[in-house]
Amino acid sequence: MLVYKLILSGMILMCKNSLHDIVVCQDVSIQTTRTVNYMKDTLKLGCTPTNVKLWNGISAISLSKNTSSGFRDIVHVVLDLKLFRNQTNWMQSGWWSRGIVIKEYVYPLSSSGLEFYIPANRVVCSDEGTYRCTVIGSTIDNSEVVKVKIDTVQLTVKPTTINQIQIHPQQPDAIYVRYTVVLLRCTGTVGRDPAGEIRWCYRRDDMFNFIGWPNLDDYDQGMLISNDCQNSRTSTLRYNVSADYQYTEFRCETGGTTMVCGHSSAIASNITIYRYSEPMESTTITYVETTDSEPMESTTITYVETTVCSSDINTILISCIAILIALILIGFAISVMLYKKGIIVIKWKKERIYGDTKARTKAEHVYDSTTEYHMYNTAEG
């Protein structure tokens, strides 16, 4: 506290030689956010008297902005002498609804000043420009004094949004037959620069990093649309689905300090186009082999053939069907022959048994261990 008093006393002694010197020591300060990132930073504005001990009083504080027709007042803070209270008057529409006031006083002197800020989502392009702070007050002998300070606000407009890439025509899971031509559309902001573009980048299944699309004739940057100071556009890329790669991933980018794909400050949207792969078809053929030895036994041998019968190659398809039908007919013929042979053998055996035993009927013959049974060809009698 003692140090503060010594500093203040020194200032008064420095300025006490004349009234002119005291007026010189009275001053104001202007507060601005000199560089504002559009839609990201808050814009702060203020106008405050300094060295208030050297002021006898403050009657008005105002903030104005330079326009094509000169400086125009944005806001006034004055002292209502009748009611003896502070009164704030917003002179331009839109500022009061966008601004949030921190301080708006001319009285008491120790608290005098004007400060407010505009949130990032309420900043507009026209907020850029030169501002003037004006304080009207009086000296210790009640002489009027006017102090002015000027400062400039600059807006940096960078891309802020990008939409999901749209595909035409649409297919489930983005799977397309090779050589299909698809259109990819991407909409995003490109900043204030009229030359701002949207970048098309890609990588395939044999690539690690994204690179720029090589053929500029395949895409159209689209018309530039201006909204306040943030421009946007819709870019379209024409892609012929490659037959050589399983998939191709596309990346639509905006922002960044270079045109190189994958910049750390860029914002992007990605989509992957897959090439349709024809499924493998399998055919299973089963052969049944029997023997004429007793007892009857069957052996099953299974052959599995995997054949790619492309719907695009009719000749291969017809050949596959013909081979399948032939195998089925051969198997059926073999089965019939084996079946007939088995019946003949059994019948022959029964007739010879009845002949050897001279039985007149089947019922008269009794099988026992002493009877000899002979099997021979039917030609023997």
Side-chain angles (χ1 to χ4, degrees):
M1 189 65 180
L2 179 60
V3 174
Y4 173 77
K5 289 181 178 180
L6 290 174
I7 294 175
L8 181 59
S9 299
M11 291 176 61
I12 294 174
L13 289 173
M14 290 173 61
C15 299
K16 75 174 183 177
N17 293 333
S18 66
L19 179 60
H20 173 73
D21 292 335
I22 294 176
V23 173
V24 170
C25 289
Q26 292 172 307
D27 205 355
V28 297
S29 67
I30 182 171
Q31 298 90 41
T32 62
T33 305
R34 293 185 176 181
T35 302
V36 178
N37 289 314
Y38 183 69
M39 297 298 290
K40 292 184 178 181
D41 295 341
T42 296
L43 172 59
K44 296 180 180 179
L45 297 168
C47 183
T48 305
T50 59
N51 301 333
V52 292
K53 294 294 183 179
L54 301 179
W55 291 80
N56 186 45
I58 303 295
S59 58
I61 300 175
S62 65
L63 185 72
S64 56
K65 186 177 181 295
N66 194 22
T67 66
S68 58
S69 59
F71 280 95
R72 293 184 59 192
D73 289 339
I74 298 172
V75 58
H76 277 300
V77 180
V78 297
L79 181 63
D80 187 335
L81 297 177
K82 291 182 179 180
L83 300 176
F84 204 76
R85 67 180 183 184
N86 297 289
Q87 181 178 331
T88 303
N89 300 312
W90 292 89
M91 312 302 292
Q92 294 187 33
S93 61
W95 285 86
W96 176 81
S97 60
R98 293 191 298 126
I100 298 176
V101 176
I102 301 173
K103 182 168 65 172
E104 46 184 350
Y105 304 114
V106 294
Y107 181 84
L109 183 61
S110 59
S111 301
S112 61
L114 169 66
E115 292 182 28
F116 66 96
Y117 69 92
I118 299 175
N121 61 346
R122 299 180 189 175
V123 173
V124 295
C125 195
S126 58
D127 290 338
E128 184 178 60
T130 302
Y131 291 84
R132 182 178 67 184
C133 162
T134 304
V135 175
I136 302 174
S138 59
T139 62
I140 54 176
D141 67 345
N142 290 326
S143 299
E144 186 179 77
V145 61
V146 179
K147 292 292 184 178
V148 177
K149 279 289 177 67
I150 293 177
D151 205 357
T152 301
V153 172
Q154 182 178 3
L155 240 59
T156 300
V157 184
K158 298 179 181 179
T160 55
T161 58
I162 195 160
N163 298 334
Q164 177 62 38
I165 297 174
Q166 301 296 317
I167 314 177
H168 180 79
Q170 292 185 346
Q171 289 288 356
D173 301 320
I175 301 175
Y176 294 85
V177 176
R178 57 184 180 174
Y179 306 127
T180 301
V181 176
V182 296
L183 297 180
L184 307 178
R185 291 190 179 94
C186 180
T187 301
T189 55
V190 294
R192 184 163 50 175
D193 183 2
E197 296 184 350
I198 289 178
R199 296 187 296 277
W200 283 101
C201 311
Y202 79 103
R203 66 179 177 186
R204 289 173 171 145
D205 49 18
D206 61 343
M207 300 166 60
F208 182 75
N209 295 319
F210 283 95
I211 61 174
W213 188 256
N215 191 355
L216 298 181
D217 294 334
D218 287 342
Y219 65 86
D220 176 16
Q221 280 293 338
M223 182 182 299
L224 192 69
I225 300 174
S226 179
N227 180 16
D228 196 21
C229 59
Q230 178 65 277
N231 297 324
S232 65
R233 70 192 332 152
T234 299
S235 182
T236 303
L237 173 67
R238 183 177 64 257
Y239 172 57
N240 191 343
V241 177
S242 173
D244 300 325
Y245 301 94
Q246 183 181 359
Y247 69 86
T248 302
E249 183 179 3
F250 289 91
R251 180 180 174 96
C252 172
E253 289 188 352
T254 181
T257 57
T258 68
M259 291 300 290
V260 177
C261 292
H263 193 273
S264 58
S265 62
I267 53 178
S269 173
N270 291 46
I271 197 166
T272 303
I273 304 295
Y274 295 92
R275 185 201 66 201
Y276 175 75
S277 298
E278 296 179 351
M280 300 292 289
E281 297 180 358
S282 63
T283 302
T284 302
I285 303 174
T286 303
Y287 296 93
V288 178
E289 184 177 303
T290 60
T291 62
D292 57 357
S293 58
E294 294 296 338
M296 298 290 289
E297 296 181 355
S298 65
T299 303
T300 301
I301 305 174
T302 303
Y303 300 88
V304 178
E305 296 179 353
T306 302
T307 308
V308 178
C309 299
S310 174
S311 59
D312 296 334
I313 307 176
N314 294 330
T315 303
I316 297 178
L317 176 61
I318 294 172
S319 299
C320 290
I321 295 175
I323 292 172
L324 180 60
I325 294 173
L327 290 175
I328 293 174
L329 293 175
I330 292 171
F332 178 78
I334 294 173
S335 299
V336 171
M337 292 176 59
L338 294 176
Y339 175 77
K340 288 182 176 181
K341 182 178 180 182
I343 293 176
I344 293 172
V345 171
I346 295 172
K347 183 177 180 181
W348 175 81
K349 287 180 179 179
K350 289 181 179 180
E351 289 176 354
R352 300 311 301 165
I353 290 172
Y354 299 147
D356 287 347
T357 58
K358 295 182 174 55
R360 291 187 300 271
T361 65
K362 297 178 182 179
E364 291 179 356
H365 176 73
V366 178
Y367 293 93
D368 56 51
S369 59
T370 61
T371 303
E372 294 183 0
Y373 293 90
H374 302 281
M375 298 181 66
Y376 43 82
N377 295 329
T378 56
E380 297 177 358

